[in-house]
Amino acid sequence: MSLLRVLGRPMLASMFVAGGLDSVRNPQNVAGLAEPVVRPVTDRVELLPDSTEECVRLNGAVQVAGGLLLATGRLSRPAALALAVTLVPTTLAAHRFWEEEDPDRKSQQRIHFLKNLAMLGGLLIAADDTGSAPSLLWRGRHAAHDLRRDAHLVRRSVRAGAAPAAMAGRVRGKLSR
């Protein structure tokens, strides 16, 4: 694994571990902000808890687990994807700069929104990062290509061997009469 991955993944994950722990321990601190985003989602997704605080706690737990997995390099691609999924409602709930009236608060919220957007981009890159190993899709395509090539070679070999064998059979048939 490259030095950039070894250093970059824990750096990216640190924000999620710290923020997730805070959400798990003190969900009431952000439940009010999360309510406008959580309500419509929980109405559509029955698997989620009805309580906003429980949803915040669940989101925080996913962030802690995903952050630790990403930081350690274990299941880093699914972990990055899970963190990206949790970041969207977090960003939409906490950094609604378009609703701010005060120019200073609006500017700060816009900065935080764009910071989260940048982290989302980093997570999407991490979710796509195969660590220089070929992806399953690439391996599958190349395995299929290799099978087609092998089948073609076998077909040519059979054709090439069939003509002399047929000729030998005809000669043998004439000689045995």
Side-chain angles (χ1 to χ4, degrees):
M1 183 179 294
S2 78
L3 181 62
L4 292 177
R5 285 184 185 90
V6 169
L7 295 176
R9 285 181 178 156
M11 288 176 171
L12 183 58
S14 65
M15 183 73 170
F16 296 99
V17 173
L21 281 174
D22 187 50
S23 292
V24 168
R25 290 180 182 156
N26 306 306
Q28 67 279 1
N29 292 350
V30 293
L33 288 172
E35 184 73 29
V37 174
V38 170
R39 239 348 90 213
V41 174
T42 56
D43 290 344
R44 290 185 179 100
V45 181
E46 293 182 22
L47 292 172
L48 294 175
D50 289 333
S51 165
T52 301
E53 285 188 14
E54 288 303 312
C55 284
V56 168
R57 190 172 271 133
L58 176 63
N59 191 55
V62 171
Q63 287 183 345
V64 170
L68 291 173
L69 288 171
L70 181 63
T72 59
R74 305 277 189 245
L75 299 171
S76 56
R77 295 177 71 195
L81 198 56
L83 289 172
V85 169
T86 67
L87 188 59
V88 172
T90 300
T91 302
L92 292 176
H95 305 300
R96 302 169 76 86
F97 69 90
W98 54 91
E99 293 178 351
E100 287 294 334
E101 300 291 327
D102 181 32
D104 290 336
R105 283 194 45 79
K106 185 174 195 149
S107 175
Q108 285 300 314
Q109 289 301 326
R110 185 180 302 117
I111 288 169
H112 288 296
F113 182 87
L114 293 173
K115 171 201 51 120
N116 282 13
L117 194 61
M119 287 191 329
L120 180 61
L123 288 169
L124 293 177
I125 290 169
D128 190 46
D129 180 28
T130 62
S132 73
S135 69
L136 290 176
L137 180 62
W138 185 91
R139 286 185 243 171
R141 284 181 181 160
H142 278 66
H145 177 267
D146 292 347
L147 283 172
R148 281 192 302 273
R149 187 188 70 228
D150 291 348
H152 178 72
L153 290 174
V154 167
R155 190 172 41 242
R156 285 183 61 190
S157 297
V158 167
R159 284 183 189 156
M167 177 68 83
R170 283 193 296 273
V171 168
R172 180 183 255 175
K174 288 181 180 180
L175 292 176
S176 64
R177 285 190 202 166

